[in-house]
């Protein structure tokens, strides 16, 4: 074959080429040699000398395809109206394959003539295309366009009618022509696939739009029928099944662009149009916790814009109600345990429900958080919320040595779960106060079950609230470690100086700023002679090492071991220092009056009464009368006996008095005022001038450890005005400015 342009007789060449075109388009037999010769003929016509005959070839091919499709149209009609879909589909399958082969035969014409003349994407985008320009199509595209105008357009109404009828029969379960229906619908897409813009126009206008309208009417009728026949549970199941069926049907028949539209139309008519009915059934479902119904309701409501909000609200209110019922009527000594474990039970139950029924939807998780927060921070009238104190007591119970019947793993697990409650607490500063007081007692009295568990709990709190929140707790641990080293040095010192103290003496030196001990007034106390030497020697040792530091002895927090040898068995008691001082007075006398003991030890009335009554209660002492007043005689109980030989008198140490509770709450209020004043000053320093409401909003947004009351913020603002940190601006009483 020569590639050199030459003169070509178009009529003769086309008459030969046309026969091959006919064979290709009708899927007749065309030998390889014939194919190659006709391929060369197309090339020769496109490069003919002196004038290329490509345009003429294009025109003749177009005319041929036009006539060919018209003849196919007649043939389809002649085969009978009853089998129109089948006849159309068979003709389309044969024609579409044939046009594909023909496209390849005209490869040179397509690539070197038609494609080079096509307008670029930029011409389309920027609008430089003249209105009357008629672009030549590639032969494959041309064949599809002929099919559209000569086959689809004349038959479209009848085809649509038969397609909708076929899909309706499929809904009724009696369709036999599924593959044909799918093929006919796909032909509407395929004839315009080559287009760069609007390639689904024919499909959408001819089929999709009428189909969606017809389907909408079907869904309306189906919904009306189901509402008449079914209760809400059955209705939701039927609608869910309908949605599944319609989704499968749209995947079976339609172009993928229609799948979401079909589902949306079904949801609109079967769910959104009856939203009031479904919303009205949400509350009884939630209150009765009908999981299956809720699992069906959730996806239906989620499909509608804002449809699920009502269900979320009912779930939140139900969890809140269940939570309040679980924690508001608690009684007994272990209220803290009942509160935390009841609240954890409610949280676990409804978290599992949300995961199982609502697929872990974050909106429902948010509702759970709001409900739990509301319950945990619930306060009756104007009382302070008890949750922070109860949670602190729960942690204290777990971390003490007295937590019997629980393994280390169980304690660790419960402490980890307690952080769930902690995260919901608004007044985290109140929790911190109570927790730090209880931690101080555990450390000082050596009641902690495990120092590792203590530190792990503090690290959990730090992860939840940051370093600042646990700073003082860490410093308390540091003090205990430093005190251990200090005791070693003191023991080395007395050994080196050959000092005999007569007792085993251990001391803890605590920083005043880190430990929550400053609220308790220092109790007057005459140190017994047995302890006086140890106290003096330690003071001398400490002042030699740390010049300028002041030691304040907190005898009410001290304890010691006392060996009792006057009974039939020898007992070792661990008791508070004041109790030990009382018992030491009985070394020289078996009986003393209350007045003598109080005068000797110089204890105030409250401390004296508390510790004397604890010794009488544990039966180490006997009293001549029930009222422990001045003349009452206290005597050693010579008949005391106990199965155990090592005992602890801890009642007086562990019971918190109402005064201590009140002092804790008061200290929280004072800390909050200082915290808020510091926040206000920082905000005003950076903003210079700020209106009242804007300032309050800023303070709210920056207060993370507690939710401040507006009244307290106002008092703090007034206090700062009095201290001349800020002032009201001359122009407005509602605006403040920072005083530099």
């Amino acid at each position: 074959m020569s590639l050199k342009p030459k003169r070509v007789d178009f009529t003769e060449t086309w008459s030969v080429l046309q026969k091959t075109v006919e064979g290709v388009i009708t899927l007749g037999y065309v030998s390889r040699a014939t194919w190659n010769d006709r391929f060369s003929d197309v090339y020769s016509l496109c490069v003919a000398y002196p004038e290329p005959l490509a345009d003429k070839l294009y025109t003749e091919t177009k005319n041929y395809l036009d006539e060919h499709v018209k003849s196919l149209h007649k043939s389809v009609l002649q085969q009978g109206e009853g089998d129109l879909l089948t006849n159309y589909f068979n003709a389309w399958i044969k024609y579409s394959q044939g046009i594909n082969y023909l496209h390849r035969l005209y490869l040179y014409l397509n690539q070197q003539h038609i494609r080079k003349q096509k307008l670029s994407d930029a011409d389309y985008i920027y609008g430089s295309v003249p209105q009357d320009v008629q672009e030549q199509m590639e032969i494959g595209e041309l064949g599809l366009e002929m099919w559209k105008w000569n086959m689809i357009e004349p038959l479209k109404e009848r085809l649509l009618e038969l397609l909708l009828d076929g899909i309706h029969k499929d809904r009724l379960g009696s369709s036999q022509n599924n593959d044909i229906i799918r093929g006919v619908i796909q032909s509407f897409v395929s004839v315009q696939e080559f287009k760069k813009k609007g390639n689904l126009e024919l499909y959408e206008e001819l089929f999709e739009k009428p189909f969606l309208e017809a389907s909408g009417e079907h869904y309306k009728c189906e919904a009306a029928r189901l509402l008449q026949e079914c209760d809400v549970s059955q209705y939701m199941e039927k609608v869910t099944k309908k949605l599944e069926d319609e989704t499968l049907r749209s995947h079976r028949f339609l172009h993928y662009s229609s799948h979401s539209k079909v589902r949306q139309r079904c949801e609109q008519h079967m769910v959104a149009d009856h939203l009031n009915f479904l919303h009205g059934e949400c509350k009884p479902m939630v209150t009765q916790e009908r999981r299956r119904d809720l699992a069906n309701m959730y996806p239906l409501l989620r499909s509608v814009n804002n449809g699920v909000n009502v269900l979320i609200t009912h779930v939140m209110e139900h969890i809140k109600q269940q939570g309040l019922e679980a924690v508001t009527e608690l009684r007994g000594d272990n209220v803290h345990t009942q509160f935390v474990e009841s609240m954890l039970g409610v949280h676990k139950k409804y978290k599992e429900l949300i995961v199982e029924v609502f697929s872990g939807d974050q909106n429902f998780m948010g509702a759970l958080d709001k409900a739990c927060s509301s319950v945990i921070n619930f306060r009756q009238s104007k009382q302070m919320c008890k949750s922070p104190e109860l949670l602190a007591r729960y942690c204290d119970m777990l971390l003490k040595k007295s937590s019997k019947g629980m393994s280390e793993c169980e304690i660790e697990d419960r402490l980890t779960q307690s952080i769930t409650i902690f995260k919901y607490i608004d007044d985290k500063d109140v929790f911190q106060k109570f927790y730090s007081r209880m931690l101080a007692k555990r450390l000082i009295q050596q009641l902690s079950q495990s120092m590792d568990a203590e530190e792990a709990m503090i690290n959990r709190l730090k992860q939840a609230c940051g370093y600042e929140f646990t700073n003082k707790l860490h410093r308390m641990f540091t003090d205990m470690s430093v005190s251990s080293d200090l005791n070693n040095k003191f023991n080395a010192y007395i050994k080196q100086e050959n000092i005999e103290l007569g007792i085993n003496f251990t001391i803890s030196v605590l920083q005043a700023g880190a430990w929550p001990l400053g609220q308790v007034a220092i109790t007057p106390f005459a140190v017994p002679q047995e302890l006086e030497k140890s106290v003096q020697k330690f003071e001398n040792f400490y002042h030699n090492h740390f010049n300028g530091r002041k030691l304040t002895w907190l005898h009410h927090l001290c304890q010691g071991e006392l060996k009792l040898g006057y009974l039939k068995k020898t007992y070792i008691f661990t008791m508070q220092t004041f109790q030990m001082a009382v018992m030491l007075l009985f070394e020289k006398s078996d009986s003393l009056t209350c007045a003598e003991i109080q005068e000797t030890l110089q204890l105030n009335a409250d401390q004296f009464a508390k510790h004397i009554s604890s010794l009488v209660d544990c039966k180490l002492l006997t009293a001549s009368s029930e009222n422990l007043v001045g003349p009452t005689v206290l005597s050693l109980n010579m008949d005391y006996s106990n199965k155990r030989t090592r005992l602890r008198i801890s009642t007086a140490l562990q019971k918190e008095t109402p005064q201590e509770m009140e002092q804790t709450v008061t200290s929280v209020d004072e800390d909050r005022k200082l915290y808020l004043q510091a926040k206000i000053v920082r905000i005003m320093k950076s903003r210079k001038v700020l209106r009242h409401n804007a300032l309050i909003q800023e303070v709210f947004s920056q207060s993370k450890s507690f939710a401040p009351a507006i009244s307290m913020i106002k008092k703090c603002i007034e206090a700062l005005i009095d201290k001349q940190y800020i002032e009201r601006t001359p122009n407005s009483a509602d605006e403040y400015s920072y005083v530099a």
Side-chain angles (χ1 to χ4, degrees):
M1 166 183 153
S2 173
L3 297 179
K4 186 177 179 180
K6 58 183 180 181
R7 293 181 184 274
V8 179
D9 185 337
F10 180 82
T11 305
E12 182 182 340
T13 306
W14 170 244
S15 64
V16 177
L17 179 58
Q18 185 177 356
K19 292 179 182 178
T20 304
V21 168
E22 185 178 351
V24 169
I25 202 75
T26 57
L27 301 182
Y29 175 74
V30 177
S31 67
R32 170 58 64 183
T34 305
W35 175 276
N36 291 339
D37 289 343
R38 300 298 80 76
F39 195 89
S40 300
D41 289 344
V42 171
Y43 171 78
S44 300
L45 291 170
C46 290
V47 299
Y49 177 83
E51 288 291 330
L53 299 171
D55 289 339
K56 196 170 183 181
L57 174 62
Y58 179 84
T59 302
E60 290 296 332
T61 305
K62 180 179 180 182
N63 292 335
Y64 172 78
L65 291 173
D66 185 50
E67 291 300 321
H68 178 68
V69 176
K70 285 178 179 176
S71 67
L72 288 176
H73 173 239
K74 288 179 183 177
S75 175
V76 166
L77 290 176
Q78 286 170 359
Q79 292 177 49
E81 181 77 10
D83 293 326
L84 182 63
L85 279 184
T86 304
N87 298 333
Y88 170 90
F89 175 69
N90 292 335
W92 162 251
I93 291 296
K94 188 175 180 181
Y95 179 80
S96 60
Q97 290 179 10
I99 206 67
N100 185 39
Y101 294 138
L102 188 64
H103 184 76
R104 298 181 199 176
L105 182 65
Y106 278 73
L107 181 66
Y108 189 82
L109 178 69
N110 291 330
Q111 290 185 345
Q112 300 302 320
H113 179 70
I114 298 173
R115 204 170 289 176
K116 284 184 177 180
Q117 293 180 11
K118 280 195 171 183
L119 296 167
S120 67
D121 292 343
D123 293 328
Y124 283 105
I125 293 169
Y126 297 110
S128 59
V129 182
Q131 292 291 327
D132 55 349
V133 167
Q134 290 288 331
E135 274 193 312
Q136 288 184 342
M137 299 179 178
E138 294 181 31
I139 296 304
E141 299 170 356
L142 179 64
L144 295 174
E145 191 71 4
M146 293 297 103
W147 182 269
K148 173 190 169 185
W149 290 112
N150 296 325
M151 180 68 81
I152 294 177
E153 282 295 325
L155 296 176
K156 62 182 182 182
E157 285 83 3
R158 186 60 184 139
L159 287 175
L160 175 63
E161 185 182 331
L162 293 171
L163 289 171
L164 295 180
D165 183 60
I167 293 174
H168 180 68
K169 287 180 179 176
D170 184 74
R171 286 187 175 122
L172 300 176
S174 60
S175 177
Q176 303 291 324
N177 301 321
N178 289 348
D179 291 338
I180 292 172
I181 292 170
R182 175 180 175 80
V184 174
I185 294 170
Q186 183 59 39
S187 74
F188 302 156
V189 176
S190 299
V191 293
Q192 289 193 321
E193 273 184 333
F194 62 88
K195 287 191 173 184
K196 291 180 180 177
K197 290 177 68 177
N199 58 345
L200 290 176
E201 278 182 3
L202 177 67
Y203 166 77
E204 289 172 350
E205 288 298 319
L206 174 58
F207 174 76
E208 185 189 72
K209 191 175 178 181
F211 170 74
L212 291 176
E213 290 296 326
S215 296
E217 289 301 318
H218 168 73
Y219 302 144
K220 283 181 186 177
C221 296
E222 192 70 6
R225 182 182 67 82
L226 292 174
L227 286 169
Q228 290 290 327
E229 297 174 359
C230 307
D231 60 23
V232 67
S233 301
Q234 295 168 331
Y235 180 77
M236 290 189 299
E237 288 178 2
K238 298 280 187 183
V239 171
T240 301
K241 181 70 168 60
K242 188 68 176 176
L243 282 165
E244 290 172 0
D245 290 346
E246 289 300 306
T247 299
L248 289 173
R249 189 168 290 108
S250 63
H251 280 78
R252 190 159 65 244
F253 292 130
L254 311 182
H255 185 259
Y256 67 85
S257 66
S258 300
H259 297 169
S260 61
K261 297 176 187 176
V262 172
R263 187 175 184 88
Q264 190 176 1
R265 188 64 68 101
C266 187
E267 289 167 344
Q268 175 63 41
H269 295 304
M270 303 197 82
V271 180
D273 289 354
H274 306 286
L275 206 54
N276 290 337
F277 163 68
L278 294 173
H279 280 167
E281 298 292 333
C282 285
K283 188 171 183 178
M285 282 184 199
V286 173
T287 52
Q288 295 165 29
E289 295 183 18
R290 287 149 50 188
R291 294 193 171 211
R292 184 173 177 180
D293 283 348
L294 290 171
N296 288 330
M297 179 72 83
Y298 166 66
L300 296 181
L301 294 181
R302 189 183 56 180
S303 66
V304 180
N305 189 30
N306 296 323
V308 82
N309 290 350
V310 170
L311 181 58
I312 292 170
T313 302
H314 286 311
V315 169
M316 183 174 70
E317 289 300 321
H318 178 65
I319 297 172
K320 183 178 174 181
Q321 183 185 352
Q322 294 298 306
L324 288 172
E325 287 176 8
V327 302
T328 48
E329 298 298 327
L330 301 178
R331 297 286 183 273
D333 293 334
N334 65 336
V335 169
H336 51 278
T337 304
Q338 295 177 53
F339 170 78
V340 174
E341 292 185 354
S342 297
M343 202 61 233
L344 284 172
V346 170
H347 183 271
K348 182 181 178 183
K349 175 185 175 181
Y350 289 104
K351 186 176 181 181
E352 287 175 354
L353 182 142
I354 289 168
V355 170
E356 179 187 329
V357 176
F358 304 124
S359 306
D361 189 321
Q362 288 306 304
N363 292 313
F364 285 90
M365 286 297 184
L368 172 65
D369 290 341
K370 286 179 183 176
C372 289
S373 178
S374 177
V375 173
I376 289 169
N377 297 296
F378 178 75
R379 61 187 76 195
Q380 293 176 338
S381 64
K382 293 185 178 180
Q383 293 180 359
M384 194 165 188
C385 179
K386 300 287 288 180
S387 301
E389 179 194 345
L390 294 173
L391 180 61
R393 291 189 183 285
Y394 180 75
C395 295
D396 181 58
M397 177 271 295
L398 291 173
L399 290 165
K400 273 183 181 175
K401 287 180 181 176
S402 59
S403 56
K404 296 176 182 177
M406 281 189 275
S407 64
E408 284 186 20
C409 289
E410 191 176 353
I411 291 171
E412 190 79 10
D413 185 50
R414 291 193 182 193
L415 287 171
T416 302
Q417 290 177 8
S418 69
I419 296 296
T420 303
I421 306 298
F422 173 73
K423 288 178 180 177
Y424 290 122
I425 288 175
D426 286 343
D427 298 332
K428 289 184 171 60
D429 56 337
V430 177
F431 170 85
Q432 200 254 13
K433 280 287 180 192
F434 279 103
Y435 187 88
S436 60
R437 283 176 62 82
M438 293 169 189
L439 173 62
K441 285 191 176 184
R442 290 197 300 275
L443 294 177
I444 291 169
Q445 297 164 16
Q446 298 176 359
L447 293 173
S448 288
Q449 179 153 319
S450 161
M451 296 304 283
D452 289 340
E454 293 278 10
E455 202 155 0
M457 185 61 191
I458 291 172
N459 287 331
R460 291 188 194 98
L461 294 172
K462 183 167 71 173
Q463 286 177 356
C465 259
Y467 175 75
E468 282 299 318
F469 186 81
T470 57
N471 183 23
K472 288 186 178 181
L473 305 181
H474 281 296
R475 284 164 63 191
M476 289 160 70
F477 267 87
T478 304
D479 281 356
M480 297 306 290
S481 177
V482 170
S483 295
S484 178
D485 294 339
L486 199 60
N487 278 301
N488 293 334
K489 289 178 182 177
F490 178 64
N491 290 331
Y493 163 75
I494 60 175
K495 190 175 182 181
Q496 183 181 345
E497 298 293 325
N498 292 321
I499 299 170
E500 187 62 44
L501 297 177
I503 61 171
N504 291 327
F505 184 73
T506 305
I507 200 78
S508 295
V509 180
L510 316 175
Q511 301 175 64
W515 293 72
L517 308 173
Q519 304 141 342
V520 181
I522 303 302
T523 307
F525 177 57
V527 179
Q529 290 180 352
E530 291 86 350
L531 303 177
E532 196 167 359
K533 183 179 178 182
S534 303
V535 171
Q536 289 176 351
K537 291 297 180 186
F538 184 81
E539 283 186 345
N540 294 337
F541 162 78
Y542 190 80
H543 290 311
N544 288 336
H545 278 74
F546 304 100
N547 189 24
R549 291 191 186 179
K550 181 186 176 184
L551 282 178
T552 302
W553 291 87
L554 303 176
H555 295 295
H556 63 286
L557 295 176
C558 300
Q559 62 182 11
E561 284 189 354
L562 189 64
K563 190 174 183 180
L564 307 183
Y566 60 87
L567 298 165
K568 293 176 182 178
K569 282 197 297 187
T570 300
Y571 295 94
I572 297 174
F573 274 82
T574 300
M575 58 180 68
Q576 210 263 355
T577 305
F578 296 157
Q579 295 165 333
M580 187 166 63
V582 172
M583 292 301 294
L584 287 172
L585 294 178
F586 286 90
E587 279 208 300
K588 296 178 181 177
S589 175
D590 290 348
S591 299
L592 293 167
T593 64
C594 288
E596 290 171 336
I597 295 172
Q598 189 171 0
E599 185 180 347
T600 304
L601 299 179
Q602 297 179 12
L603 286 172
N604 63 35
D606 288 342
Q607 290 288 349
F608 175 78
K610 182 168 71 171
H611 292 93
I612 286 293
S613 62
S614 67
L615 291 170
V616 173
D617 289 343
C618 72
K619 299 181 181 178
L620 282 178
L621 298 178
T622 58
S624 60
S625 69
E626 290 185 7
N627 297 324
L628 301 175
V629 291
T632 302
V633 178
L634 298 169
S635 306
L636 288 174
N637 180 9
M638 296 301 183
D639 297 325
Y640 179 84
S641 67
N642 200 306
K643 292 180 181 179
R644 297 164 59 195
T645 56
R646 296 187 71 91
L647 300 105
R648 176 187 288 272
I649 304 175
S650 55
T651 310
L653 299 177
Q654 292 185 9
K655 281 187 178 177
E656 284 207 353
T657 63
Q659 290 82 0
E660 286 178 317
M661 297 282 294
E662 192 175 336
Q663 286 169 348
T664 303
V665 173
T666 304
S667 70
V668 168
D669 278 342
E670 291 303 315
D671 288 350
R672 284 184 175 184
K673 287 174 185 175
L674 293 173
Y675 175 87
L676 290 174
Q677 287 179 24
K679 282 286 177 199
I680 292 167
V681 170
R682 285 196 196 103
I683 292 166
M684 291 304 302
K685 190 174 182 180
S686 64
R687 304 290 289 274
K688 303 304 180 191
V689 177
L690 207 58
R691 287 196 168 276
H692 176 79
N693 288 340
L695 177 57
I696 287 184
Q697 200 60 43
E698 285 271 4
V699 173
F700 264 119
S701 65
Q702 293 189 29
S703 299
K704 296 179 181 177
S705 60
F706 68 98
I710 293 177
S711 59
M712 183 179 280
I713 298 174
K714 288 179 178 178
K715 286 178 183 176
C716 291
I717 292 171
E718 293 298 330
L720 290 171
I721 291 173
D722 292 341
K723 294 175 183 177
Q724 297 185 344
Y725 282 97
I726 60 175
E727 63 182 7
R728 287 187 173 87
T729 57
N731 302 329
S732 172
D734 191 36
E735 193 173 61
Y736 308 107
S737 61
Y738 177 70
V739 179

